[in-house]
Amino acid sequence: MATGNLTIQLNKSDVAAVNRWLAEMDKVDQSSTIQTALRQGAKVIQDAGKTNLASRNKVNKGNLKKSFSIKVVKKKAYALSGFKRPKGAHAHLVDRGTAKRYTAKGYYRGSVKGTHFWTDAVEANGGKALNTLMNAIYDALAEINRRNSR
């Protein structure tokens, strides 16, 4: 998963309005709305990471590209975007790079320059992910209100 946490500040009025709207919904709609919004927000970062990986790494990146995943935790209402194991176990090495490595016998095993494909995706698209999440909640609330007004 990601090496650092992304923290974004929200306006209290926005949070209060969303909480008020969610409180008016029944539990099933509330749960599905939150899960969908979290998944859409995490997908923004995941898509940026895939784009960065394709453009910055000229070598074969098949397993790493296949290992991107999103996990939504229902009970605590958060989403993780990162890499599945074992195919994505080396993602941190590609992202951050490695230092010069030597074996116990002194043989040189090289170094890898990091491309920062994932770090840059998280930093550059954190605000966009939050906006996508909030828009998904607004859209779901509008859809529920439209359904109930019939």
Side-chain angles (χ1 to χ4, degrees):
M1 295 296 163
T3 56
N5 293 329
L6 176 66
T7 305
I8 299 173
Q9 298 294 325
L10 295 174
N11 294 335
K12 288 183 180 181
S13 61
D14 290 344
V15 173
V18 169
N19 285 334
R20 187 173 55 251
W21 292 332
L22 287 173
E24 295 173 2
M25 298 167 58
D26 61 358
K27 292 291 184 186
V28 174
D29 287 339
Q30 190 179 61
S31 178
S32 66
T33 299
I34 291 171
Q35 288 177 41
T36 302
L38 287 171
R39 184 168 298 280
Q40 288 179 4
K43 183 133 178 64
V44 169
I45 294 174
Q46 182 184 39
D47 290 345
K50 283 183 180 181
T51 302
N52 288 349
L53 178 67
S55 66
R56 296 180 187 184
N57 296 325
K58 303 303 179 199
V59 296
N60 185 5
K61 53 202 167 290
N63 280 341
L64 189 56
K65 189 174 180 182
K66 292 176 193 173
S67 71
F68 280 88
S69 70
I70 296 172
K71 179 181 178 185
V72 177
V73 180
K74 295 177 191 178
K75 289 186 178 183
K76 301 205 179 184
Y78 68 89
L80 298 171
S81 182
F83 309 95
K84 292 184 287 188
R85 290 183 176 261
K87 290 184 178 181
H90 64 293
H92 66 286
L93 299 173
V94 176
D95 184 47
R96 298 295 176 122
T98 61
K100 291 182 178 180
R101 301 181 309 274
Y102 295 92
T103 64
K105 291 186 175 184
Y107 297 120
Y108 179 65
R109 293 298 180 230
S111 65
V112 176
K113 185 175 185 273
T115 59
H116 301 283
F117 74 95
W118 186 249
T119 307
D120 291 345
V122 171
E123 289 174 1
N125 294 297
K128 185 177 178 184
L130 182 63
N131 288 338
T132 303
L133 185 142
M134 296 296 277
N135 288 337
I137 291 175
Y138 293 145
D139 292 344
L141 292 170
E143 174 63 25
I144 291 168
N145 287 337
R146 187 189 60 76
R147 224 183 324 155
N148 292 339
S149 67
R150 287 184 183 179

